[in-house]
Amino acid sequence: MSSVRAATFAAFVGLALIPSLAKAQDTPLPPATPPVNLPPITVSAGRGSVLDKLDVSTTLMTREQIQALPETGVDQIVNRIPGVWLPNIPTGQLHPTAQPVNIRGFGTSTTINTLVMVDGVPINDPYFRTINWSAIPKNSVERIEVIRGGGATSLWGNMAMGGVINIITREPTKTGASTDVSYGSYNTANAEAAGSVVVNDKVKVGASYNHAQSSGYNLTPAQYQNINLVPTASKADNVAASVFLTPSDKLKLFAKAYLNQTYEDGLVWTFAHNNWSTWRLLLGGTYQFDDQSSINVSGWVAGGSFGTINVASGAYTLNNINATNQFVSQIEASPNADQGGSIFYEANFGPLRDVKIGVDGRRILITDYNSLFASATSNPTTFVVNGEHRLQGLFAQGTYRFTGVPVDITVGLRGDFWQAMNASVLTQNSSTLNVVPNASASSFDPRVGLKFHASDELVLRGAIYRNFSAPGMNQMYRVFAAGTGYTTINPNLQPMTNFGQEVGFDFEWKGFTLSGTYFNNNLNNFIDFVTVCNANPVCAAPFVAAAGLSPAFTTVRQYQNVGNATFQGFELIATWQPLEQVRLIGSFTNTVAYLTSSTNPALVRTGVQLGQVPNYTFTAGVEWRPIVNLVLTASMKSFPQYWNDTGHTQLNDGATLIDLGVRWSPAKDVDIYGSIQNLTNVQYLASSYSLTSFEGSTVNASAIPQLGMPLTAIAGMRVRF
C-alpha cells in the first residue's frame, strides 16, 4: 500500500509541474489559432468537462428531448439511452434492492459499478448501491449526461467502472410558476407545482413539489395468481428547493435541498411493504480568477432510511397456487448517513487545456436492523449491523492540443484511498457480537486518451485507463437467515480493479452523425454472490457457529471475489435529421461479459455470459414536428433472452417494446401531452422461471415469475404562469 501511495504522490507532483512548464515555455500561437477561453461561469457540482470534447463515448439529452420522450419515468428514459441497461419493470414495481444500473456489463445487482449522480452528487444508495428513480421527477431534469466506460474514472473514481450518469436539475431563469397534472392506466397520477423568483441578476430562488402514485399492475402471470398475489401500489413525494447567488461577475454560489419519501404496498404479496426516505443538502460555488482559471467547490450532507417488510409464500408453489398462508418473513430498517465533497482548480495554459486538479471525499455510515422469521409463529432471528466506509481521491487531468497538428492528448491521474472501519455484527438472539476487522486499500489509476481530427467530418479517438471499485457495504456486512439458508459477512472482500481500452470514431455530415466504439475491459477480483455450502451441515458449521446461530442452518451464501472477468463489445449510435421537422436516432450495442478465471470453478463457471448482461440491445426513435406547436415521438427498444444470473438458472424473456408520445401547445404557456408505452402490449417475463440447475429443464416451483410492464397510457396538461 505504501508503494501505491508513493507512486501516486510522485505522479501528481510530476503532473503538477506541467502547467508551470507549459506557461514558462509558452510562445504566441499562430494568428490562425483563436485564443483559448473558458466558458462563462456555470455552476455545477460536476467536473465541468464538455461531453463532445471527451475521447470516449458520450450522450447528452437536453430538456427539450427529455420532455418530448413518451416515457414518463426517468428510469424508463435512461433505459432508452444507448448502451444503458436497467430492469424492464418500472421503478415503482421493483423492490428497492433490485434496481441496478448497467453500462457495458458493469452494474448487475450483485456488482453495481455504474455511478449515478444528481447535480454531481452520488445517489446510489449508501448500503445497497441501487437507485431510487422515484426521487427524480421527470419535470425536474434539465439534462442527462452519460459517459460510457471507465474513461471517466480519473475524475470520478469509485463505482465509475461502467461509466457515469449525471442528471442535472433545473436552474431558475425567470419569475414564474407552473403546474403539471397527468392521469392514466392503473390509476397512475402525477401532480406537480413549481415556482421560481428571480429577484435580480444576483439572486434566483426556485422550489417544487411533486406527487406521483399508481395502483400498479399485477406482476404475477394470471395463471399463478390468488387473492394474496396483488398489484404493487406505489407513491412518491418529492420536495426540492434551490438558491443561486451571484455576488460578483467572478463568484457564483448555490444551495440545493431535496427530500423524498417513497412507498410500495403489496410488492407481489399483500403483506409486503417498502418505504424509502432520503434527504440531501448540496452547497457549492465557482470563483473565476480570470478568463483562463477558476476554482470549484461543492459539498453535501445526506441521510435517510430504507425499510422493508418481506413475505414468505408459505405452502404456495406454482403447482399449489391456492395456498394462501403467506406470512411476514422479514422486517428490516437501514438508516444511513452520507457526507462528501470536492474541490478542484480548473485552468487553461496555452496549448494545455481543460486542466483539472483536485481532491474529493465521501463518508458513509450505516446501521441495519434485520429481523427474520422462519414461520408465522416463530420468534425472529435478529441482526444489528454497523459499518463505515470512507473514500478519498486525488485527481488531475489535462488535454494537450498540438500546434499545427489536429491531435488532442488527454492524460489523467487518480489516486483512490478506501477504508472500511467501525463495523460489527450483533446476533441478538445469542448476544453474539462479531467486531469486523478494519480494511483499507489504495489504487493508482492513470488514463491516456487521444483524439485525431482527421477532417471536418471525422474524428478518431481512443483511450486506455485503469480504474477501481471498492466492495459495497452490504456485500461486506449484510447478514440474512431464511429457512435453512444463511448469508454471511465477508470482511475480506478486495476491491475490483480494471484495465480498459477503447477505440472509436465520430462522423458528422449534413445532419447525419454516426459514432462507433469498440471496448475491452479486463477486471480483476470480480465480486459475485455464491453458494458456499449447499445443504451441507459440516461445511456450514463454522459460519453459523461464528454468528451464534443454531446448526439448523446448512446452506451458506456469501459475496466473494470469484475471479477475473472480461467485458468487451461495440456500440454504434446514429442520428439523422433529413428535414428540419424530423429527427431519427438509432443504436446497436453488443456486450460479451464472462469470467476468464474462477477461484472455485465448482461454484462459479468461466466462459459463460454474466447475469443481467444481454448480448445485444437495439434502440430506435423518431421525433416529428409536423407543425410548430405539435411534437410526435416514437421510441423502440429490442433485446433478446438473457440470463439473470451467472449460474444460468433464470432465462428472462426478450422483447421489442414500442412507445408513442404526443405534445401539443395550443397556447404559449400550455402543453397537453400523452403517451402510450408498450404499444403492442407485449406479454413477456422480465423475471422468468427459475431452474434448479445450470441451464436445466426442471423449474423451481417456489419461485414466481414476474411480468414486464403491459400497455400503459398517460395523458396530462402542463401550464406555466
Side-chain angles (χ1 to χ4, degrees):
M1 180 173 173
S2 59
S3 61
V4 173
R5 290 181 181 269
T8 302
F9 178 75
F12 274 88
V13 169
L15 192 71
L17 294 175
I18 292 177
S20 59
L21 293 173
K23 196 168 186 178
Q25 298 176 9
D26 193 20
T27 57
L29 295 174
T33 304
V36 179
N37 293 316
L38 289 178
I41 297 178
T42 58
V43 169
S44 170
R47 298 285 148 86
S49 295
V50 180
L51 290 192
D52 62 7
K53 302 296 184 184
L54 298 180
D55 48 39
V56 292
S57 177
T58 64
T59 291
L60 172 64
M61 295 186 69
T62 65
R63 178 172 179 81
E64 181 67 19
Q65 292 169 341
I66 293 166
Q67 289 295 315
L69 286 172
E71 292 76 31
T72 55
V74 173
D75 60 315
Q76 299 154 15
I77 293 170
V78 171
N79 206 14
R80 298 304 190 270
I81 296 175
V84 182
W85 179 260
L86 273 67
N88 287 302
I89 297 173
T91 185
Q93 303 266 144
L94 278 171
H95 196 278
T97 62
Q99 306 198 41
V101 184
N102 187 329
I103 299 179
R104 294 183 177 176
F106 292 89
T108 65
S109 58
T110 58
T111 307
I112 297 173
N113 279 312
T114 297
L115 180 63
V116 182
M117 300 178 290
V118 171
D119 296 324
V121 176
I123 61 165
N124 301 75
D125 182 79
Y127 195 28
F128 297 100
R129 293 192 171 184
T130 54
I131 309 298
N132 180 11
W133 296 102
S134 297
I136 315 169
K138 180 178 178 178
N139 274 347
S140 70
V141 179
E142 178 65 26
R143 64 184 185 273
I144 300 175
E145 304 170 343
V146 177
I147 304 174
R148 298 175 188 84
T153 313
S154 59
L155 292 179
W156 294 111
N158 185 53
M159 286 186 61
M161 276 185 176
V164 171
I165 300 173
N166 191 22
I167 300 169
I168 309 299
T169 60
R170 301 196 71 189
E171 178 178 336
T173 56
K174 62 180 181 179
T175 298
S178 66
T179 61
D180 192 327
V181 294
S182 64
Y183 185 81
S185 304
Y186 307 106
N187 195 33
T188 300
N190 188 293
E192 179 176 281
S196 59
V197 176
V198 177
V199 179
N200 50 41
D201 291 342
K202 298 181 182 298
V203 181
K204 295 184 290 184
V205 180
S208 66
Y209 168 71
N210 178 277
H211 173 82
Q213 67 180 43
S214 176
S215 297
Y217 69 93
N218 200 318
L219 291 165
T220 306
Q223 66 268 33
Y224 301 124
Q225 294 176 14
N226 66 30
I227 59 172
N228 288 331
L229 289 156
V230 297
T232 302
S234 63
K235 67 176 181 177
D237 293 282
N238 288 285
V239 178
S242 60
V243 178
F244 293 82
L245 304 175
T246 309
S248 69
D249 292 340
K250 293 181 176 292
L251 179 63
K252 191 169 185 179
L253 306 171
F254 69 91
K256 298 183 178 184
Y258 313 87
L259 177 65
N260 166 264
Q261 182 69 62
T262 301
Y263 296 96
E264 288 177 333
D265 292 317
L267 186 61
V268 179
W269 294 99
T270 309
F271 295 165
H273 303 279
N274 295 304
N275 65 83
W276 204 347
S277 62
T278 54
W279 63 270
R280 184 167 67 256
L281 176 63
L282 171 63
L283 304 171
T286 297
Y287 182 79
Q288 193 98 9
F289 295 109
D290 51 42
D291 288 344
Q292 303 294 326
S293 60
S294 65
I295 191 164
N296 304 266
V297 180
S298 67
W300 77 87
V301 292
S305 182
F306 155 79
T308 187
I309 298 176
N310 284 328
V311 169
S313 57
Y316 177 95
T317 69
L318 300 183
N319 301 319
N320 184 25
I321 66 170
N322 294 319
T324 56
N325 58 334
Q326 64 169 321
F327 64 91
V328 171
S329 61
Q330 179 191 13
I331 300 175
E332 182 175 14
S334 302
N336 65 74
D338 186 8
Q339 306 107 33
S342 70
I343 178 170
F344 66 93
Y345 173 73
E346 182 177 19
N348 291 317
F349 300 92
L352 186 59
R353 307 178 181 189
D354 199 24
V355 174
K356 295 180 176 67
I357 301 174
V359 298
D360 55 30
R362 188 181 185 187
R363 178 175 179 250
I364 304 167
L365 298 100
I366 187 74
T367 300
D368 184 31
Y369 304 93
N370 199 356
S371 296
L372 300 127
F373 301 82
S375 70
T377 58
S378 64
N379 293 323
T381 301
T382 300
F383 302 99
V384 180
V385 173
N386 289 283
E388 178 180 351
H389 279 193
R390 296 182 183 182
L391 297 123
Q392 305 93 38
L394 304 171
F395 60 89
Q397 183 168 293
T399 299
Y400 189 86
R401 165 66 64 87
F402 287 89
T403 303
V405 180
V407 174
D408 299 339
I409 292 182
T410 299
V411 176
L413 302 175
R414 184 174 178 92
D416 277 301
F417 310 97
W418 165 74
Q419 302 90 39
M421 57 182 60
N422 302 325
S424 63
V425 179
L426 170 65
T427 306
Q428 284 192 344
N429 305 61
S430 59
S431 299
T432 301
L433 177 64
N434 286 318
V435 177
V436 180
N438 293 347
S440 62
S442 298
S443 183
F444 173 57
D445 302 318
R447 66 142 6 240
V448 177
L450 180 145
K451 289 188 77 170
F452 172 56
H453 301 264
S455 67
D456 291 340
E457 298 81 18
L458 179 64
V459 175
L460 305 178
R461 51 180 165 78
I464 58 174
Y465 39 79
R466 186 180 188 275
N467 43 43
F468 156 94
S469 183
M473 297 185 77
N474 75 306
Q475 294 171 326
M476 295 183 70
Y477 306 138
R478 193 168 187 253
V479 288
F480 197 89
T484 60
Y486 168 58
T487 297
T488 186
I489 66 172
N490 189 355
N492 298 316
L493 275 179
Q494 297 299 304
M496 295 178 288
T497 56
N498 176 61
F499 177 55
Q501 317 91 44
E502 61 183 85
V503 293
F505 67 89
D506 299 301
F507 177 76
E508 183 174 356
W509 180 72
K510 294 185 177 181
F512 174 77
T513 68
L514 176 65
S515 66
T517 306
Y518 170 79
F519 58 89
N520 180 74
N521 294 274
N522 302 109
L523 185 146
N524 295 326
N525 292 330
F526 181 73
I527 296 175
D528 208 350
F529 190 56
V530 299
T531 301
V532 181
C533 310
N534 189 10
N536 187 333
V538 176
C539 173
F543 297 98
V544 299
L549 298 173
S550 77
F553 294 96
T554 59
T555 296
V556 175
R557 299 178 181 89
Q558 186 182 51
Y559 285 96
Q560 292 187 355
N561 296 108
V562 299
N564 301 329
T566 290
F567 301 80
Q568 58 188 201
F570 65 90
E571 302 153 345
L572 291 173
I573 305 170
T575 66
W576 183 34
Q577 191 151 358
L579 302 170
E580 183 179 351
Q581 300 86 0
V582 178
R583 181 174 181 266
L584 307 172
I585 60 173
S587 73
F588 180 85
T589 300
N590 167 260
T591 306
V592 179
Y594 58 94
L595 286 179
T596 54
S597 64
S598 175
T599 56
N600 191 333
L603 297 179
V604 185
R605 296 173 184 261
T606 60
V608 302
Q609 187 82 347
L610 296 177
Q612 299 177 8
V613 184
N615 283 112
Y616 71 85
T617 58
F618 175 70
T619 67
V622 58
E623 180 181 305
W624 180 35
R625 299 173 182 264
I627 57 176
V628 174
N629 296 324
L630 179 64
V631 183
L632 304 174
T633 57
S635 67
M636 182 194 75
K637 185 161 190 171
S638 182
F639 51 91
Q641 291 180 314
Y642 64 97
W643 293 101
N644 198 56
D645 59 332
T646 305
H648 286 203
T649 60
Q650 188 179 42
L651 183 61
N652 292 343
D653 286 349
T656 296
L657 306 174
I658 299 173
D659 303 334
L660 298 180
V662 59
R663 188 182 68 195
W664 176 49
S665 302
K668 178 182 178 182
D669 294 317
V670 177
D671 294 332
I672 298 173
Y673 59 89
S675 68
I676 299 176
Q677 295 176 255
N678 193 358
L679 173 68
T680 57
N681 199 26
V682 176
Q683 301 293 299
Y684 68 102
L685 295 177
S687 180
S688 192
Y689 295 94
S690 291
L691 309 174
T692 57
S693 61
F694 178 84
E695 298 186 11
S697 57
T698 303
V699 172
N700 178 0
S702 63
I704 307 172
Q706 297 181 356
L707 294 165
M709 184 176 69
L711 186 150
T712 302
I714 303 287
M717 176 182 289
R718 184 181 305 113
V719 180
R720 297 172 292 277
F721 304 96

